Amino acid sequence: MNITFCCTDTKADPWLKGLRAAFPHATVNVWQPGAPQADVAVVWAPPQQFLDEQQALKALFNIGAGVDALLKLRLPPGVKVVRLDDAGMSVQMAEYVCHAVIRHFREFDGYEADVKEGKWSYRKPRERQAFPVGVMGLGVLGERVARALRVFDFPVHGWSRTPKAIEGVFTHSGEAGFEGFLSASRVLVNLLPLTPDTQDILNRHTLGRLQPGGYLINVARGAHLVEADLLALLERGHLAGATLDVFRTEPLPPEHPFWAHPQIRITPHTSARTLRDESIAQIAGKIRALEAGQPIAGVVDAIRGY
Ligand code: NDP
Ligand code: OXD
């Protein structure tokens, strides 16, 4: 078997070592232009030239959950696109989102500012029922996040394309359920995949439907958010703030207003990192299953876009 590795912004050596250990009889190399045809590829945002040259690939293993960058490209005919299925990401996402929700709800930024000024001052405890959290996307990550938020007794709403049942979570689905989902939420967490249907979905109309004092947590993709609309809603006071991990342009350009905005907290696309060992183990298991003609989880539906 010939396995090729073509991942932008990723140190190749540890991945090659792990893949070679999992497949001692296979050829495992970093892709170079003109390389022999490989059977499967491990990829992250590969160049079009790679896919144009590697027309015999049977499967592309994306080392992330989101496949938006990959689906923009012309793919070899009949190739399976396989996403990472959790591989240690959902617990990280649950930590990140719970931290952001709790930091906002408990006013920790305000306390930090007070402490810097040497002030010992209390704030009135807030009513938890007044902070319903809406989770957009109830897939591998969204469902874990919704369940984690329930542990803290926040009212939790979830929205997905098809109907879902999650214990303790008010679920809504499809276009018909969107309006009711938004107006039931005060804190909005975005965990949708980026597809033609979801691009720009966080805009003045949708964010304007959140309850007053709304708060946005975007941990999915930057292109979900119309950035100027967020700034306008913060300015108007309809939104209280935002925690953003993803941006339309990454790295966030130095002159971007989000860097210094007093109501916006940013992190550098780090809410749920790809964990190398877990990912290699998962990909190796799926390669073996495919070789044995068995079905695997995480095969992307290119028409649906996720
Ligand atoms: P999944 O594919 O498992 O889940 C996607 C969810 O979104 C599903 O519940 C799906 O509905 C729902 N959905 C898709 N399209 C629509 C739509 N048009 N309307 C309503 N609901 C829709 O994805 P994951 O949970 O694994 O990951 C979600 C995204 O998180 C990734 O695509 C990626 O962009 C982002 N991500 C970000 C990371 C970071 O570090 N910032 C790390 C990892 C992922 P249904 O269940 O009905 O199919
Ligand atoms: C992913 C990501 O999609 O890290 O996995 O953004």
Side-chain angles (χ1 to χ4, degrees), residues 1-7 12 15-16 19-20 26-44 46 50-51 53-61 63 283 287:
M1 183 175 27
N2 184 344
I3 304 176
T4 188
F5 182 85
C6 185
C7 296
W15 284 86
L16 297 182
L19 288 164
R20 285 175 185 145
T27 305
V28 185
N29 282 315
V30 173
W31 173 76
Q32 304 288 348
Q37 296 293 309
D39 303 298
V40 298
V42 175
V43 296
W44 181 254
F50 164 75
L51 297 165
E53 286 191 14
Q54 292 288 322
Q55 291 285 300
L57 285 171
K58 294 185 197 67
L60 286 167
F61 289 92
I63 62 165
I283 291 168
I287 292 176

Side-chain angles (χ1 to χ4, degrees), residues 34-209:
Q37 296 293 309
D39 303 298
V40 298
V42 175
V43 296
W44 181 254
Q48 182 63 57
Q49 185 189 355
F50 164 75
L51 297 165
D52 287 345
E53 286 191 14
Q54 292 288 322
Q55 291 285 300
L57 285 171
K58 294 185 197 67
L60 286 167
F61 289 92
N62 188 58
I63 62 165
V67 289
D68 43 292
L70 200 48
L71 294 187
K72 278 192 208 135
L73 302 170
R74 266 187 323 279
L75 301 178
V79 73
K80 275 191 169 55
V81 174
V82 188
R83 51 154 295 174
L84 276 185
D85 237 339
D86 195 336
M89 280 192 279
S90 72
V91 66
Q92 296 177 66
M93 201 52 101
E95 282 163 1
Y96 184 101
V97 172
C98 288
H99 171 87
V101 171
I102 291 166
R103 179 157 105 176
H104 173 59
F105 173 64
R106 295 292 305 269
E107 302 185 84
F108 286 141
D109 289 340
Y111 280 112
E112 201 176 307
D114 289 349
V115 167
K116 276 199 185 118
E117 286 179 24
K119 275 198 219 152
W120 182 272
S121 59
Y122 291 109
R123 283 148 207 268
K124 190 165 171 266
R126 289 164 143 187
E127 173 56 53
R128 196 175 305 268
Q129 291 305 313
F131 280 80
V133 185
V135 181
M136 300 171 85
L138 294 174
V140 175
L141 304 183
E143 177 171 348
R144 177 74 182 250
V145 164
R147 289 186 191 280
L149 288 163
R150 281 299 298 142
V151 170
F152 297 101
D153 290 349
F154 289 104
V156 178
H157 292 257
W159 183 63
S160 51
R161 201 174 50 82
T162 56
K164 293 258 163 333
I166 303 172
E167 202 186 334
V169 176
F170 302 101
T171 53
H172 311 248
S173 62
E175 271 182 43
F178 196 32
E179 186 85 25
F181 162 77
L182 290 171
S183 55
S185 306
R186 176 162 175 182
V187 178
L188 186 68
V189 178
N190 177 34
L191 271 166
L192 291 169
L194 181 63
T195 69
D197 288 340
T198 66
Q199 169 142 354
D200 297 333
I201 196 167
L202 303 171
N203 57 51
R204 66 183 66 218
H205 305 293
T206 53
L207 296 175
R209 297 269 178 235

